[in-house]
């Protein structure tokens, strides 16, 4: 998006100013790079080869350096179960796990993940063979439109693991005791996954059902 | 099928095996495994898809003097750039108020002014930032809705004016006269507006999109691009949330189409999240003045509700008085919606347009009036119930059980145990309060068609009806199985495609009642076909068999393909009645005694919506509405930059919707009602009822907890903290 005119003018003034400061600080190379490089022309290689293990399968990719892990999954590997809701790390729809930990894949560049193990919703279960968490989401109607759902399910599985691993949250009262799998803990830890359809109460029921099932 | 008289007794659906039974979503396994394909994800539908990226206007109104796209065109990977100066203004589609593309005039911030098409998303996005735009800004604009309301109130012909309001106000035992304010709200569906369009050859156009209304979208594409409708096909089988934001053709499809034409290849384009607030539509802010007059018995004698909202020229804004002529009995009612023209992004329908914002104010006013009268707010509402349309007493409600909603709710919520004096109940550091509000939402129905096709005992239903998370796939399969005497496993639903018969689509709470009747109509037509083929009359369809006299055949044994197309048409007799849905919402909140932070502690909704087709999906609709309303009550607020004429908090960090931690235990009770006037299934919609009145119940509970009455949403701690009781 092109910025407003006033901002554009200010930005140019700012750039000229910072170039002058850089020059006076005898950092000639940097200021030259700023002033000489034509806009839109990359200064180095534009793409990088990476190897990811995705859902247990090794995948070799050449990615534009700007490509997020999310877009590498969705556009190159065509694993579209991981969703793009905001592309800003604000909604959680893009949640997948990297080396066993959940992350917002839209906030992470694919080039940072060479050699990493990525697991997406497609690796969790299939319509014919659903993971217990997926089945619990269906049973408890833990979704409506379904768009945030893969992220919710990925987070839900991680939340149970994180609580059992003793990782505290904002609502954990006692940091030295074993963390109880309470409604408050689950709600707090799931709050990075927004559901605009408002299925939260049902998602909580699904997670609780799975967690209790594990313990039974 | 013409629905020309009320449904009789003992119908198929009164003795149902599937309809009305709790049924898990048939599309559930696809959604939970990430295999349901949404618009942007259709890699499989056409080869060679390119990426489109939009450029939005950086001014709210004025002219574009020049655009320099040279650098963008020469950027790596770029296949095409289309700027708004290169084409004439495109014809506007159905209910589009602002132009979606073309021409030099800017009508709102982030109006689309260019599309870049490139081999990759990253290349398209980078190139879009290279376009230089020179604007000529329009004159400074006025964005003060409150001041506009001051100027406009009392002016113009009232929308509703029954009885003698002036007399009622001059002789009332109790009077209320207050101003209320609701902010602009954004749908913020989790899936941004997205489309893949193949218009490579400039002839046939195929659109894979995310849209609630296939037929409206289809027609609008034809209008916009001057194409014959039969040249266009639209598919939208899965929609990642709509809430009214995806009722109309929007810029994603238009830009992808233009990009596809220019590049000669299919183009996919999703609106970036920051575009959602200023490029797409939103619910307008409202300013409302409510005056109530009542006698000592608590009966309302006068209701005077005037409201203002903003819109672009010819826009509809948000009519916050929508429910006022119909909800409460009163000898006199005066209502007027003033539309104020402002250079803001387009305001249009969002979940329960009108009632959602109107009840946020009216139901607080009712709470305030009950207090003035010294009445229990539940009792006050019951006293003012009516079985006829208050603004047209000749007209009865088709079925109205509002009092039962209040009674059932009060009992289930243990209303008698509530905190009665504001600020009187403490639970540790929290002030605890309870609130109630009524809910009203009209029950519109639209014509709706489908095709029923039977082969080898398997039934396929084709309809352009959409499922926006509402559960349409499931309730329509239930309806079809019921009507044909088959099981759910025998039914395959094919939806959201312009190749199929035109349905009601999803919106305005009309989808479930309309489209289920449409499927019923097609299945009844199919039953006739089958009976004709077998040469029998008055056949019964049950257990997978057709039975008539000596004939008893399994549907799986019938030869070949039998199909029928029909739609439901709604008879004039319905207009003799006021059709609506009703509810009562009960909320408990805790307000932190020191900080004023509000936490919702429990919520209950009691709904009167006729037959509930599927209690599982209907309940989800209602808790979803309650959740959205918690956001409306406590946090959602599109922050207006009145210097630039745009909404500044345009993402999900700045625009705060409710998250997991905000939502407590939620209970929903459907009272067992049937509305034979509303549809052959005696059903009405429920999806918008769930959002109606809830925010007011929250605000009323906050007042009850603290003694601070907030009339300006959202109810944030800064509005409470100065008035909180002293900490003892």
């Amino acid at each position: 998006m092109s910025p407003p005119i006033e901002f554009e003018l200010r930005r140019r003034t700012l750039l000229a100013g910072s170039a002058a400061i850089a020059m006076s600080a005898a950092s000639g190379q940097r200021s030259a790079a700023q002033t000489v490089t034509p806009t839109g022309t990359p200064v180095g290689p534009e793409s990088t080869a990476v190897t990811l293990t995705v859902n247990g399968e090794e995948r070799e990719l050449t990615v534009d350096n700007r490509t997020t892990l999310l877009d590498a999954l969705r556009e190159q590997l065509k694993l579209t179960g991981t969703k793009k809701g905001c592309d800003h790390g604000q909604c959680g729809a893009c949640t997948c796990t990297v080396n066993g930990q959940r992350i917002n894949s839209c906030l992470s560049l694919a080039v940072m993940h060479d050699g990493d193990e990525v697991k997406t919703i497609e690796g969790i279960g299939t319509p014919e063979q659903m993971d217990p968490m997926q089945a619990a989401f269906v049973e408890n109607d833990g979704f409506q439109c379904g768009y945030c759902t893969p992220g919710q399910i990925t987070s839900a599985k991680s939340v149970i693991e994180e609580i059992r691993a003793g990782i505290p949250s904002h609502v954990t009262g006692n940091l030295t005791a074993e963390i109880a799998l309470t409604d408050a803990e689950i709600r707090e830890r799931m709050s990075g996954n927004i559901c605009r359809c408002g299925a939260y109460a049902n998602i909580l029921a699904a997670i609780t059902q799975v967690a209790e099932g594990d313990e039974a | 099928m013409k629905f020309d008289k009320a449904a009789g007794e003992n119908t198929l659906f009164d003795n149902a095996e599937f309809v009305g039974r709790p049924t898990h979503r048939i599309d559930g396994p696809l959604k939970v495994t990430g295999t349901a394909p949404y618009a942007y994800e259709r890699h499989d539908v056409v080869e060679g898809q390119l990426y489109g990226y939009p450029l939005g206007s950086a001014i709210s109104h004025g002219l574009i003097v020049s655009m320099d796209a040279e650098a963008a065109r020469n950027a790596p990977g770029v296949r095409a750039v289309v700027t708004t100066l290169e084409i004439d203004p495109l014809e506007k589609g159905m209910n589009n108020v602002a132009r979606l593309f073309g021409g030099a005039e800017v009508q709102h911030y982030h109006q689309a002014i260019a599309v870049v098409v490139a081999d990759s998303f990253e290349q398209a996005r980078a190139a879009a930032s290279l376009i230089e735009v020179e604007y000529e800004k329009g004159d400074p604009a006025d964005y003060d809705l409150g001041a506009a309301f001051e100027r406009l109130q009392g002016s113009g012909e009232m929308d509703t004016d029954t009885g003698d309001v002036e007399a009622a106000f001059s002789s009332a035992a109790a009077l209320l006269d207050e101003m209320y304010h609701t902010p602009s709200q954004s749908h913020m569906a989790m899936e941004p507006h997205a489309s893949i369009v193949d218009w490579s050859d400039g002839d046939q156009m195929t659109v894979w999109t995310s849209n609630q209304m296939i037929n409206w979208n289809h027609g609008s594409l034809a209008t916009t691009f001057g194409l014959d409708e039969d040249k266009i096909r639209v598919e939208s089988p899965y929609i990642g949330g709509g809430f009214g934001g995806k009722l109309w053709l929007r810029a994603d499809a238009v830009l992808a189409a233009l990009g596809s034409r220019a590049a000669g290849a299919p183009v996919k384009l999703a609106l970036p999240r920051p575009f959602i607030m200023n490029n797409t539509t939103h619910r307008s802010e409202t300013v409302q003045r409510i005056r109530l007059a009542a006698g000592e018995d608590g009966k309302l004698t006068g209701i005077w509700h005037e409201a203002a909202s903003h819109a672009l020229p010819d826009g509809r804004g948000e009519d916050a008085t929508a429910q006022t002529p119909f909800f409460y009995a009163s000898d006199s009612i005066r209502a007027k919606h003033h539309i104020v023209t402002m250079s803001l992004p387009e305001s249009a329908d969002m979940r329960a347009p009108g009632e959602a914002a109107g009840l946020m104010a009216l139901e607080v006013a009712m709470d305030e009036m009950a207090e003035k009268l010294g009445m229990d707010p539940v009792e006050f509402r019951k006293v003012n119930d009516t079985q006829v349309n208050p603004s047209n007493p000749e007209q009865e409600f088709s079925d109205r059980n509002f009092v039962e909603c209040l009674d059932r709710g009060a009992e289930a919520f243990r209303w008698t145990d509530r905190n009665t004096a504001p600020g009187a109940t403490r639970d540790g550091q929290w002030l605890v309060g309870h609130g109630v509000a009524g809910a009203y939402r009209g029950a519109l129905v639209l014509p709706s068609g489908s095709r029923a096709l039977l082969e080898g005992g398997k039934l396929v239903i084709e309809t352009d009806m959409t499922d926006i998370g509402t559960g349409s796939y499931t309730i329509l399969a239930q309806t079809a199985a019921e009507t044909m005497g088959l099981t759910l496993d025998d039914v395959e639903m094919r939806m959201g495609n312009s190749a199929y018969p035109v349905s009601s689509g999803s919106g305005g709470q009309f989808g479930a009642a309309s489209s289920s009747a449409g499927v019923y109509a097609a299945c009844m037509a199919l039953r006739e076909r089958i009976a004709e083929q077998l040469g029998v009359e008055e056949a019964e369809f049950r257990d997978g068999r057709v039975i008539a006299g000596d004939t008893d055949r399994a549907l799986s044994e019938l030869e070949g393909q039998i199909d029928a197309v029909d739609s439901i048409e709604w008879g004039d007799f319905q207009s003799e009645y006021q059709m609506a849905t009703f509810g009562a919402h009960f909320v408990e909140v805790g307000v932190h005694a020191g900080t004023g932070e509000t936490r919702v502690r429990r919520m209950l909704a009691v709904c009167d919506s006729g037959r509930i087709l599927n209690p599982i999906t209907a309940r989800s609709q209602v808790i979803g509405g309650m959740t959205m309303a918690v956001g409306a009550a406590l946090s959602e607020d599109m922050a207006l930059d009145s210097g630039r004429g745009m909404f500044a908090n345009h993402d999900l960090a700045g625009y705060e919707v409710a998250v997991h931690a905000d939502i407590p235990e939620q209970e929903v009770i459907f009272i067992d009602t049937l509305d034979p006037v509303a549809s052959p299934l005696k059903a009405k919609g429920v999806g918008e009822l769930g959002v109606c009145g809830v925010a007011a119940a929250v605000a009323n509970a906050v007042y009850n907890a603290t003694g601070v009455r907030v009339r300006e949403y959202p109810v944030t701690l800064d509005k409470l903290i100065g008035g909180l009781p002293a900490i003892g």
Side-chain angles (χ1 to χ4, degrees):
Chain A
M1 185 201 92
S2 137
I5 298 165
E6 301 93 316
F7 178 79
E8 180 71 2
L9 290 173
R10 281 203 306 280
R11 190 169 68 93
R12 283 183 182 149
T13 316
L14 181 70
L15 276 181
S18 42
I21 291 161
M23 295 271 267
S24 69
S27 176
Q29 201 179 356
R30 189 167 159 228
S31 67
Q34 278 190 345
T35 49
V36 173
T37 307
T39 330
T41 309
V43 285
E46 290 171 63
S47 57
T48 304
V50 292
T51 305
L52 308 174
T53 303
V54 183
N55 300 330
E57 194 183 328
E58 200 170 282
R59 308 291 295 259
E60 287 177 12
L61 294 177
T62 300
V63 294
D64 186 311
N65 293 340
R66 299 164 295 189
T67 302
T68 60
L69 176 59
L70 173 63
D71 282 326
L73 292 170
R74 281 171 64 83
E75 305 306 325
Q76 282 189 264
L77 298 177
K78 301 184 180 172
L79 291 169
T80 53
T82 308
K83 304 301 183 191
K84 185 185 281 191
C86 71
D87 221 9
H88 285 57
Q90 298 166 345
C91 78
C94 66
T95 307
C96 64
T97 62
V98 173
N99 302 330
Q101 289 200 318
R102 57 175 171 153
I103 66 162
N104 285 329
S105 61
C106 76
L107 285 188
S108 197
L109 296 172
V111 293
M112 297 156 66
H113 293 286
D114 193 28
D116 281 351
E117 281 202 27
V118 180
K119 192 167 186 179
T120 70
I121 192 74
E122 290 91 345
I124 291 175
T126 61
E128 296 73 31
Q129 206 154 22
M130 289 189 281
D131 177 87
M133 187 65 80
Q134 292 170 319
F137 266 63
V138 174
E139 195 180 330
N140 292 280
D141 214 37
F143 57 93
Q144 293 184 40
C145 80
Y147 199 75
C148 74
T149 313
Q152 301 278 359
I153 288 170
T154 305
S155 265
K157 289 173 68 70
S158 292
V159 160
I160 296 175
E161 288 170 16
E162 288 162 19
I163 291 174
R164 290 189 176 140
I167 301 168
S169 81
H170 172 67
V171 299
T172 308
N174 183 345
L175 296 184
T176 56
E178 190 179 332
I179 302 170
L181 222 148
T182 61
D183 291 355
E185 282 285 358
I186 295 171
R187 286 184 179 126
E188 170 63 23
R189 292 163 192 265
M190 289 299 296
S191 284
N193 289 82
I194 294 174
C195 169
R196 186 56 161 159
C197 296
Y200 298 132
N202 291 355
I203 293 171
L204 177 69
I207 298 173
T208 306
Q209 179 181 315
V210 171
E212 285 173 355
D214 288 353
E215 279 158 14
Chain B
M1 176 187 287
K2 184 85 177 268
F3 185 60
D4 53 9
K5 62 177 193 296
E9 285 178 21
N10 205 23
T11 70
L12 175 67
F13 302 104
D14 294 322
N15 305 288
E17 194 179 342
F18 301 105
V19 169
R21 305 277 173 226
T23 307
H24 296 303
R25 285 171 206 266
I26 60 174
D27 50 335
L30 293 181
K31 285 180 173 176
V32 300
T33 54
T35 43
Y38 297 83
Y40 197 77
E41 303 167 353
R42 308 291 295 272
H43 288 290
D44 56 321
V45 290
V46 55
E47 289 288 314
Q49 296 173 24
L50 301 176
Y51 291 82
Y53 199 88
L55 180 70
S57 166
I59 65 169
S60 60
H61 60 292
L63 289 173
I64 296 174
V65 179
S66 67
M67 294 180 77
D68 181 356
E70 192 61 23
R73 287 198 166 92
N74 293 328
V78 171
R79 300 289 196 94
V81 177
V82 182
T83 73
T84 191
L85 296 184
E86 291 163 22
I87 61 172
D88 290 334
L90 293 172
E91 194 81 24
K92 283 186 286 195
M94 182 177 174
N95 275 332
N96 285 142
V97 176
R99 193 173 33 73
L100 292 176
F101 200 77
E105 189 196 358
V106 173
Q107 296 165 299
H108 64 87
Y109 186 86
H110 264 183
Q111 191 165 23
I113 59 170
V115 57
V116 176
V117 177
D119 291 330
S120 78
F121 171 71
E122 293 77 18
Q123 289 167 333
R125 181 180 57 189
S129 72
L130 300 177
I131 299 174
E132 298 283 344
V133 187
E134 191 185 337
Y135 299 97
E136 185 181 307
K137 275 189 176 180
D139 294 332
D142 181 2
Y143 297 104
D144 190 338
L145 190 65
F149 180 81
E150 288 297 323
R151 287 195 302 275
L152 289 168
Q153 64 169 320
S155 70
E157 193 184 338
M158 293 294 127
D159 302 327
T160 298
D161 204 350
T162 56
D164 189 343
V165 172
E166 319 274 353
F169 280 86
S170 63
S171 63
L175 289 170
L176 174 116
D177 183 357
E178 294 290 353
M179 296 292 301
Y180 303 86
H181 179 251
T182 66
S184 295
Q185 297 167 348
S186 177
H187 311 83
M188 284 288 170
M190 295 310 295
E191 179 205 26
H193 297 63
S195 295
I196 301 173
V197 179
D198 186 4
W199 196 24
S200 308
D201 62 4
D203 184 33
Q204 298 286 328
M205 179 189 282
T206 311
V207 180
W208 296 271
T209 190
S210 181
N211 193 279
Q212 303 173 225
M213 306 292 299
I214 301 299
N215 189 47
W216 295 359
N217 198 259
H218 191 243
S220 293
L221 283 162
T223 307
T224 302
F225 295 108
L227 291 172
D228 288 341
E229 290 201 13
D230 59 12
K231 299 273 188 194
I232 305 170
R233 195 164 61 80
V234 178
E235 273 189 37
S236 186
Y238 293 95
I239 295 140
F243 316 114
K246 293 172 181 166
L247 286 170
W248 324 114
L249 177 66
R250 296 302 312 169
D252 55 306
V254 170
L255 295 180
L258 291 168
S260 172
R261 184 78 196 90
V267 169
K268 60 196 287 188
L269 185 144
L271 296 185
R273 177 58 59 180
F275 269 59
I276 298 303
M277 204 170 248
N278 289 291
N279 176 276
T280 75
T281 60
H282 65 280
R283 189 200 302 285
S284 168
E285 161 187 22
T286 71
V287 171
Q288 306 179 43
R289 182 177 180 188
I290 297 177
R291 280 169 272 191
L292 301 177
E296 277 173 20
D297 56 359
K299 289 198 170 170
L300 289 167
T301 54
I303 304 175
W304 188 345
H305 191 175
E306 282 190 62
S309 68
H310 66 246
L312 287 167
D314 303 322
R316 291 161 294 145
E318 174 82 3
D319 179 5
T321 70
Q323 68 291 319
T324 304
F326 311 113
F327 197 7
Y328 292 112
S330 177
D331 302 333
S332 64
I333 300 175
R334 185 176 278 180
K336 172 75 178 174
H337 174 217
H338 303 279
I339 301 174
V340 181
T341 300
M342 283 188 190
S343 296
L344 286 172
E346 183 169 332
S347 66
D349 307 78
M350 176 168 154
R351 201 173 193 171
E355 285 97 331
L359 289 164
M360 284 171 80
L362 181 64
E363 288 302 303
V364 172
M366 289 295 285
D367 200 60
E368 296 194 66
M369 193 61 166
E371 190 179 34
K372 277 178 191 280
L373 290 160
M375 287 178 77
D376 176 335
V378 171
E379 187 59 28
F380 178 50
R381 287 175 173 85
K382 284 170 63 178
V383 163
N384 288 291
D385 185 49
T386 173
Q387 289 297 312
V388 298
N389 173 356
S391 54
N392 176 15
E394 309 275 287
Q395 190 184 38
E396 287 180 32
F397 281 97
S398 56
D399 190 51
R400 171 171 169 140
N401 304 282
F402 179 48
V403 168
E404 194 181 341
C405 292
L406 289 161
D407 283 341
R408 288 282 299 276
E411 188 190 346
F413 195 75
R414 302 182 302 282
W415 181 247
T416 49
D417 299 339
R418 74 191 187 282
N419 173 56
T420 45
T425 300
R426 277 283 287 267
D427 175 9
Q429 299 184 326
W430 299 87
L431 295 157
V432 178
H434 302 90
V436 64
Y440 176 96
R441 173 68 180 155
L444 182 68
V445 282
L446 292 180
S448 193
S450 61
R451 170 182 292 115
L453 193 156
L454 185 75
E455 187 173 17
K458 297 290 177 189
L459 180 70
V460 174
I461 300 292
E462 294 178 340
T463 169
D464 84 355
M465 181 60 187
T466 51
D467 189 327
I468 58 175
T470 39
S472 317
Y473 275 107
T474 311
I475 60 163
L476 297 185
Q478 290 172 267
T479 305
E482 194 74 62
T483 312
M484 296 309 301
L486 292 166
T487 67
L488 284 176
D489 287 341
D490 296 326
V491 182
E492 180 193 341
M493 293 302 308
R494 295 180 189 159
M495 292 176 29
N497 192 320
S498 64
Y500 305 148
V502 174
S503 73
S504 62
S506 301
Q509 189 171 278
F510 51 67
S514 305
S515 66
S516 59
V519 166
Y520 170 62
C523 289
M524 289 305 285
L526 179 64
R527 284 169 51 144
E528 273 182 43
R529 288 282 163 82
I530 294 168
E532 277 169 25
Q533 188 167 319
L534 296 177
V536 297
E537 281 177 12
E538 301 203 2
E540 251 190 285
F541 289 76
R542 57 181 156 87
D543 306 324
R545 308 188 72 81
V546 49
I547 302 156
D550 298 339
T551 305
D552 183 351
R553 296 274 298 275
L555 292 180
S556 57
E557 290 166 9
L558 300 181
E559 295 213 347
Q561 243 184 29
I562 313 169
D563 84 312
V565 177
D566 200 5
S567 71
I568 190 81
E569 304 292 333
W570 304 97
D572 290 339
F573 84 99
Q574 284 186 323
S575 61
E576 293 166 24
Y577 299 90
Q578 180 69 22
M579 299 197 303
T581 61
F582 306 89
H585 291 282
F586 295 80
V587 169
E588 178 181 299
V589 300
V591 179
H592 194 277
T595 68
E597 175 190 4
T598 299
R599 308 293 305 167
V600 179
R601 293 159 65 115
R602 60 189 175 107
M603 307 179 81
L604 166 69
V606 186
C607 300
D608 168 27
S609 284
R611 188 190 309 281
I612 298 301
L613 302 172
N614 182 345
I616 291 179
T617 52
R619 178 180 173 277
S620 288
Q621 284 283 286
V622 176
I623 66 168
M626 292 155 79
T627 300
M628 190 174 272
V630 168
L634 298 177
S635 58
E636 290 183 37
D637 183 358
M638 291 173 76
L640 175 67
D641 179 337
S642 57
R644 293 180 179 79
M646 50 86 92
F647 297 107
N649 53 342
H650 53 188
D651 58 39
L652 282 161
Y655 185 78
E656 296 173 331
V657 304
V659 301
H660 275 277
D662 298 321
I663 299 304
E665 179 193 334
Q666 293 174 321
E667 191 184 347
V668 181
I669 296 172
F670 294 112
I671 60 173
D672 194 12
T673 59
L674 298 171
D675 192 336
V677 173
S679 89
L681 283 77
K682 307 180 185 176
K684 294 182 281 201
V686 74
E688 297 190 331
L689 184 66
V691 83
C692 288
V694 185
V698 174
N700 292 339
V702 169
Y703 170 75
N704 181 251
T706 64
V708 183
R709 182 65 78 179
V710 178
R711 301 184 185 87
E712 183 168 347
Y713 291 95
V715 182
T716 46
L717 54 83
D718 52 299
K719 295 167 189 164
L720 298 172
I721 199 158
L724 292 179
I727 298 176

